[in-house]
Amino acid sequence: MKSMKCSDLGGACDLEFKGDTFEEIEAQSKQHGMEMMQQKDAAHLKAMEAMRELMKSPEDMEAWYQGKKAEFEAL
C-alpha cells in the first residue's frame, strides 16, 4: 500500500490518502476535495483555483494525471 498527501496532489493540507493503485488515491482525493468545497474551506478553494489555472485543456489535465500517476508508481 502506498500513500500520497492532499498537498502532493495540489491540495492544501497534509491529509494522507492510501491505496494500492493511483486510482484508489485519486478517488479519495476527489471525495476530500468535494467535502472541502461543500465546507467552503478557503485554503482548498484557493488550491483548486490554482489547479484550474494549470489545467486549461484536456491535454494539460492528462499530462498532470500521468505525472502524478508516475510519482505514485515510483513510491
Side-chain angles (χ1 to χ4, degrees), residues 13-54:
C13 71
D14 288 329
L15 180 66
E16 271 193 345
F17 310 116
K18 296 179 188 256
D20 292 319
T21 67
F22 183 70
E23 291 73 19
E24 291 173 346
I25 299 282
E26 176 190 29
Q28 294 170 51
S29 174
K30 185 176 181 179
Q31 179 64 36
H32 174 62
M34 289 190 300
E35 291 169 3
M36 294 298 99
M37 255 178 40
Q38 289 173 345
Q39 293 176 21
K40 296 181 174 39
D41 181 84
H44 282 84
L45 292 175
K46 184 176 179 179
M48 288 175 200
E49 182 59 34
M51 292 291 288
R52 277 194 276 285
E53 288 296 315
L54 289 175

